[in-house]
Amino acid sequence: MSRKLFYNLRIQAAEGGVRLSFYKSTPLFLSGSENGQPPMIRIYRKEEPAFSFNEDYGEYFDGLSPEQAEILFEGAMDAGNGRKYTYVDSLAKVGSTYAYWVSSDRGDPPVGPAAVRVRDAEIWWPQQEIDRRMERLSAMYPQLVTLKSFGRSVRGADIRGLLVGNAARRAAFIGLIHPGESGPELIIPAVERLLRDNGDELAHAGLAILPAVSTDERERLVHGHPGYLRTNGSGVDINRNFPAEWEETDYSYGLDTSDPDAITYRGPRPCSEPETRAVISFIHEAKPRCVFSFHCLASICGPAFFASKYARNDQAFSERSLPLLAAYTKGFYGLEDRPVRMSYACSSGSLPAWLYKELDVPGFDLEWEGEERSRITHTDKTTRELLRDYQDRHYQGMLSVLRELRERCEFD
Ligand SMILES: [Zn+2]
């Protein structure tokens, strides 16, 4: 078998298309051009419509061959510094998943596949967009909004949040504890609208938001990583890394939290991850009366509230929690009369477990509420229309929680 003439094939979905880069491998780089002729490079692309987010993973692409692929490009290319090639596929479609390969006319085996899923930047916001919106709010409402850094991610990204309005009665909203799930696209528009339309409320009850905790791996999804991602950049599940019965192994989803290969790995020790520590310093600073942490999938979650399993038989906890959850549910559904959905499902090492055990603060993961119309989020088919509807509903839920906090704290 002849040598592969290229290596380090990288791929990124970005504005305007899919960007490929790859390098001449050592033999090609050292031999230079053959008979004075540069190699003719071929770039192959194959759409993979069968790939399904959260049902298929990276292994889907293993062993795929370019046999039925289309040739996107064929010809000589200029190499940067004599070695690096780049190519932009501007015909890639949003919502599609593709595999790419590269080879030349020298009979070398193709390099690849490199896989990418092209996502809608209106549904999966890049970190830049999150930063831009939070900075704008702190500039527009300097009396009401404080933008603050609470730590850095494994790869050094700033994990920032906003403290908004009344500091004595705050509700906290946290996003992207799990990178493939939800947060900024629901939380930030709600805060924007609250400041614009109902700023008076914020004198009586306030908010604290930390919309993008696992920002590193979220960015990989924004830039086209095809499958679901759950852990941070070090392979740790942040929702198992909190110091709340951390050493108690949890076996949810057929996985084992002590197993470093599992996507629910709890980490080498409690609070080992900078993202976990950022959430903790955010909570210590915000001192919220209640905490809502957004989960489910592909930028959408519903009002199904998961509390710490340790709170199961605690009457006082449910008495304190239910009015808040009833307020959220009522706001979310408006005139429809819906029951509160609450279960004691959050495991050892989770944020709700830590809030309950260490701070005695009601904290909840928000999960899928079982509506058929939002089932599409499970396979990354969230539409702009569905997102707009959920943005509106979470805004109403948030407003309703603030009003509940105002009333219940009247006599504090
Ligand atoms: Zn989750």
Side-chain angles (χ1 to χ4, degrees):
M1 193 172 108
S2 55
R3 289 230 146 71
K4 295 188 177 184
L5 295 186
F6 305 103
Y7 80 118
N8 208 8
L9 171 60
R10 295 291 164 89
I11 193 162
Q12 254 205 1
E15 226 169 304
V18 170
R19 188 176 172 280
L20 283 82
S21 67
F22 51 99
Y23 293 77
K24 290 177 182 174
S25 70
T26 311
L28 181 60
F29 181 60
L30 294 180
S31 68
S33 51
E34 198 171 85
N35 311 322
Q37 296 299 312
M40 291 292 120
I41 293 174
R42 290 190 189 119
I43 298 175
Y44 302 84
R45 182 183 82 174
K46 191 160 174 279
E47 191 171 350
E48 289 296 333
F51 175 85
S52 179
F53 178 82
N54 201 35
E55 294 176 329
D56 293 310
Y57 295 85
E59 286 78 0
Y60 174 96
F61 303 93
D62 291 353
L64 279 186
S65 97
E67 258 159 47
Q68 266 117 52
E70 56 181 314
I71 297 179
L72 261 192
F73 174 86
E74 189 166 30
M77 286 174 78
D78 289 328
N81 200 22
R83 191 152 196 190
K84 180 179 183 179
Y85 296 106
T86 55
Y87 179 83
V88 175
D89 172 11
S90 53
L91 300 174
K93 297 189 301 283
V94 170
S96 295
T97 306
Y98 298 98
Y100 291 85
W101 293 261
V102 178
S103 70
S104 80
D105 60 349
R106 306 267 169 90
D108 50 314
V111 168
V116 74
R117 182 165 170 78
V118 187
R119 294 190 167 90
D120 186 351
E122 303 264 321
I123 293 171
W124 296 80
W125 290 1
Q127 183 63 45
Q128 256 187 334
E129 177 68 9
I130 297 168
D131 288 337
R132 188 185 69 77
R133 288 185 184 236
M134 291 206 295
E135 283 162 13
R136 192 181 57 182
L137 287 179
S138 76
M140 275 176 80
Y141 306 97
Q143 313 295 327
L144 276 176
V145 179
T146 307
L147 174 63
K148 242 194 118 156
S149 172
F150 294 96
R152 289 194 176 269
S153 69
V154 166
R155 294 191 196 111
D158 214 356
I159 301 174
R160 298 198 292 177
L162 297 177
L163 304 171
V164 185
N166 188 309
R169 302 164 189 172
R170 279 188 180 133
F173 296 81
I174 297 175
L176 300 184
I177 289 273
H178 293 140
E181 303 188 3
S182 70
E185 298 84 0
L186 297 174
I187 296 170
I188 293 174
V191 178
E192 289 170 345
R193 192 166 155 194
L194 196 65
L195 283 160
R196 197 187 63 217
D197 299 348
N198 268 300
D200 295 353
E201 286 296 330
L202 294 162
H204 310 288
L207 291 170
I209 69 164
L210 192 67
V213 173
S214 290
T215 167
D216 295 340
E217 294 294 269
R218 180 65 163 203
E219 281 289 282
R220 279 180 69 208
L221 288 162
V222 165
H223 292 302
H225 178 88
Y228 170 71
L229 294 173
R230 180 179 175 92
T231 64
N232 74 345
S234 298
V236 175
D237 183 339
I238 299 305
N239 218 25
R240 301 290 181 272
N241 191 237
F242 284 87
E245 308 292 334
W246 174 89
E247 50 294 303
E248 183 186 309
T249 304
D250 180 77
Y251 298 96
S252 308
Y253 311 118
L255 300 168
D256 172 338
T257 53
S258 69
D259 172 7
D261 300 323
I263 59 169
T264 56
Y265 177 46
R266 66 189 173 198
R269 60 192 173 278
C271 295
S272 58
E273 303 312 299
E275 291 86 355
T276 313
R277 298 194 296 270
V279 174
I280 289 176
S281 55
F282 166 76
I283 295 290
H284 284 320
E285 168 99 26
K287 299 185 174 56
R289 300 296 183 105
C290 55
V291 179
F292 298 94
S293 176
F294 287 34
H295 288 260
C296 195
L297 282 165
S299 306
I300 299 273
C301 70
F305 304 99
F306 286 16
S308 164
K309 67 175 188 175
Y310 303 111
R312 189 182 300 275
N313 299 313
D314 183 339
Q315 188 69 23
F317 175 85
S318 70
E319 278 168 16
R320 273 196 301 153
S321 300
L322 283 172
L324 290 163
L325 302 186
Y328 206 123
T329 305
K330 197 163 189 314
F332 189 92
Y333 287 111
L335 296 173
E336 300 165 57
D337 189 25
R338 299 293 189 99
V340 173
R341 295 176 59 116
M342 205 251 271
S343 54
Y344 295 96
C346 292
S347 72
S348 48
S350 65
L351 170 61
W354 176 71
L355 290 165
Y356 175 70
K357 286 246 160 199
E358 297 298 318
L359 304 179
D360 197 24
V361 167
F364 309 92
D365 285 352
L366 270 67
E367 298 282 358
W368 185 46
E369 76 284 22
E371 296 284 321
E372 270 315 302
R373 68 204 177 96
S374 54
R375 192 186 283 281
I376 52 173
T377 64
H378 296 21
T379 47
D380 188 17
K381 298 219 170 65
T382 302
T383 60
R384 292 183 183 187
E385 193 191 4
L386 187 75
L387 180 62
R388 271 195 297 274
D389 181 43
Y390 274 68
Q391 284 167 339
D392 178 50
R393 289 172 181 273
H394 281 286
Y395 164 72
Q396 301 294 350
M398 206 181 261
L399 182 58
S400 181
V401 166
L402 288 189
R403 289 180 172 153
E404 173 64 26
L405 276 183
R406 171 190 187 166
E407 279 170 31
R408 70 149 64 195
C409 299
E410 213 97 292
F411 307 103
D412 276 13

